[in-house]
Amino acid sequence: MSVNPPIRLKRGLQRALRHRGYALYRLTAEERAAIERRDDRESLDSVFGPSLDRLQELRRRYSEVDLPVAIHSVWGARKTRRGTTDIGWGGVDLRNFRGHSAYVWDYGSASFEATNLKFYLFTEAVRRKDRLGLLGTLTEDGAFGCSTYEYEGTGPVSRDLLDSVVEINFLDKHVGVVQRDDLRVLDIGAGYGRLAHRMLEAQPRIQSFTCVDAVPESTFLCEFYLAERGLEERVSVVPLDELTTTFESNPDYNLAINVHSFSECTYAAVEWWLQRLVDLEVRHLMIVPNNPAAFLSLEVDHRRRDYAPLLDQLGFKLVAQEPVFDDPQVQALIGVRDNMFLFERC
Ligand SMILES: C[S@@+](CC[C@H](N)C(=O)[O-])C[C@H]1O[C@@H](n2cnc3c(N)ncnc32)[C@H](O)[C@@H]1O
């Protein structure tokens, strides 16, 4: 085991840091290992190989789409100070797309120990909610940069796995998942396909699962990731410029899902998606907003707009609501007060 060199900082500097509210601490072996792993990242080419051509193609095609959903507040490609391009809140390192990123934040804390404790609480909270016993069947292999944590009696867990287990249990309680064989799901803003992967593994009899998104990198990752998981035959990933034709062919969906996506879309984009759900007569819509109690869009100038009246006006009635973490103490300690909402149109 390597030994860290002692911290040599002038006493005055240490005092000045403390005075401004900073503290210095020595990294644990796990933290150093995690940082070294991150510094030793592979190239885009070695992760995706020739599939990268598909990303270029999708970027070109999406740039030509003239729909309200193609206008972004936070998910438009932007130049970083380093001259690279980035997307989403906090950015996405495509090579480690399942790591802490704009797709799934990792609830990370300043130290590995604090994060580890948070994840212990998280895992225990999910275990208590997991009526379906999915923690015993779904697994986490840490692929593509996903941070994992392991405790007595569990295999490795991650936020990808734990969030998905909570969401599938919620859906099962209110619309049925495991007993049904007629579920036809439309996941809007599907990201890299996190929930598609988990739902299809939890329920092999799902009739169809369609992932849509308005960001070329997300569609690219979703296609790539679900193929890596061997699910390409069971899932349909529809690119943005094929959506109108796809929807005009009147596909039959009975459940739409939107997890942490409408909160990062403009009002016009949310309205466009909701109107499609009305046209397609989708019965159930699950939304997990970023705000615990409000349905707020994110405009191009970063103002927020309430889309709850729009849901009501379009006939979406709230039929179920549940916090991700039931215990208010756990909510406070993890710093997450997210709620899951289910709407129904009759
Ligand atoms: C925080 S991520 C959530 C991803 C996924 N739902 C999950 O929970 O793992 C937000 C997602 O919204 C997508 N998104 C951004 N703007 C969108 C838009 N106008 N229409 C649909 N999806 C959009 C992004 O590409 C990204 O996949």
Side-chain angles (χ1 to χ4, degrees), residues 44 46-52 54 94-95 97 144 192 217-232 237:
L44 269 183
S46 66
V47 179
F48 299 109
S51 319
L52 277 177
R54 175 71 172 159
L94 293 180
R95 295 164 296 190
F97 61 88
F144 305 109
Y192 62 76
E217 287 78 3
S218 303
T219 304
F220 165 73
L221 291 172
C222 196
E223 286 177 353
F224 173 84
Y225 181 61
L226 295 174
E228 285 286 309
R229 295 295 186 193
L231 294 167
E232 66 271 49
V237 182

Side-chain angles (χ1 to χ4, degrees), residues 68-72 75 102-104 167 187-195 212-215 218 258-262 264-266 269 273 290:
V69 289
I71 296 171
H72 296 294
W75 280 91
Y103 289 114
V104 178
E167 289 156 4
D187 189 350
I188 302 172
Y192 62 76
R194 172 185 65 84
L195 197 52
V212 293
D213 210 291
V215 175
S218 303
N258 189 274
V259 181
H260 296 300
S261 160
F262 282 163
E264 300 177 11
C265 294
T266 64
W273 286 114
N290 290 359

Side-chain angles (χ1 to χ4, degrees), residues 228-276:
E228 285 286 309
R229 295 295 186 193
L231 294 167
E232 66 271 49
E233 301 294 324
R234 300 182 55 207
V235 77
S236 165
V237 182
V238 182
L240 186 63
D241 57 352
E242 292 174 20
L243 267 189
T244 307
T245 336
T246 302
F247 287 163
E248 277 168 6
S249 71
N250 220 13
D252 192 2
Y253 309 117
N254 46 22
L255 170 66
I257 297 177
N258 189 274
V259 181
H260 296 300
S261 160
F262 282 163
S263 307
E264 300 177 11
C265 294
T266 64
Y267 184 91
V270 176
E271 187 173 28
W272 189 89
W273 286 114
L274 291 179
Q275 191 57 58
R276 300 291 76 73

Side-chain angles (χ1 to χ4, degrees), residues 122 125-126 129-130 134 161-171 286 322-325 340:
F122 190 1
V126 174
K129 268 176 110 78
D130 184 18
L134 296 176
L161 172 67
L162 296 172
D163 270 15
S164 307
V165 167
V166 172
E167 289 156 4
I168 298 170
N169 273 278
F170 172 77
L171 282 172
M286 174 189 179
E322 193 177 307
V324 170
F325 299 114
M340 301 170 286

Side-chain angles (χ1 to χ4, degrees), residues 49-278:
S51 319
L52 277 177
D53 292 345
R54 175 71 172 159
L55 175 59
Q56 299 313 335
E57 179 198 330
L58 289 170
R59 281 180 172 149
R60 183 184 48 70
R61 285 168 51 181
Y62 281 36
S63 71
E64 289 162 8
V65 173
D66 182 22
L67 288 174
V69 289
I71 296 171
H72 296 294
S73 31
V74 73
W75 280 91
R78 59 175 182 275
K79 281 266 170 264
T80 65
R81 260 182 267 160
R82 280 172 288 128
T84 52
T85 315
D86 215 346
I87 46 164
W89 230 315
V92 174
D93 175 353
L94 293 180
R95 295 164 296 190
N96 292 307
F97 61 88
R98 292 185 73 232
H100 173 69
S101 83
Y103 289 114
V104 178
W105 285 14
D106 197 16
Y107 297 163
S109 296
S111 74
F112 176 82
E113 271 121 350
T115 310
N116 203 15
L117 277 170
K118 266 191 189 178
F119 267 84
Y120 177 70
L121 284 176
F122 190 1
T123 307
E124 287 307 303
V126 174
R127 216 202 288 267
R128 288 194 291 275
K129 268 176 110 78
D130 184 18
R131 242 174 6 104
L132 299 173
L134 296 176
L135 278 182
T137 53
L138 302 181
T139 56
E140 178 56 79
D141 59 8
F144 305 109
C146 186
S147 306
T148 62
Y149 306 85
E150 196 163 348
Y151 310 100
E152 186 97 17
T154 72
V157 296
S158 64
R159 185 173 168 208
D160 170 316
L161 172 67
L162 296 172
D163 270 15
S164 307
V165 167
V166 172
E167 289 156 4
I168 298 170
N169 273 278
F170 172 77
L171 282 172
D172 188 64
K173 198 188 309 177
H174 300 290
V175 296
V177 175
V178 292
Q179 298 302 330
R180 287 179 67 165
D181 57 9
D182 64 340
L183 213 52
R184 297 175 295 280
V185 186
L186 176 69
D187 189 350
I188 302 172
Y192 62 76
R194 172 185 65 84
L195 197 52
H197 165 228
R198 298 300 184 185
M199 280 186 76
L200 289 166
E201 289 216 322
Q203 200 337 2
R205 289 176 302 128
I206 286 179
Q207 209 175 81
S208 72
F209 203 112
T210 303
C211 295
V212 293
D213 210 291
V215 175
E217 287 78 3
S218 303
T219 304
F220 165 73
L221 291 172
C222 196
E223 286 177 353
F224 173 84
Y225 181 61
L226 295 174
E228 285 286 309
R229 295 295 186 193
L231 294 167
E232 66 271 49
E233 301 294 324
R234 300 182 55 207
V235 77
S236 165
V237 182
V238 182
L240 186 63
D241 57 352
E242 292 174 20
L243 267 189
T244 307
T245 336
T246 302
F247 287 163
E248 277 168 6
S249 71
N250 220 13
D252 192 2
Y253 309 117
N254 46 22
L255 170 66
I257 297 177
N258 189 274
V259 181
H260 296 300
S261 160
F262 282 163
S263 307
E264 300 177 11
C265 294
T266 64
Y267 184 91
V270 176
E271 187 173 28
W272 189 89
W273 286 114
L274 291 179
Q275 191 57 58
R276 300 291 76 73
L277 299 185
V278 172

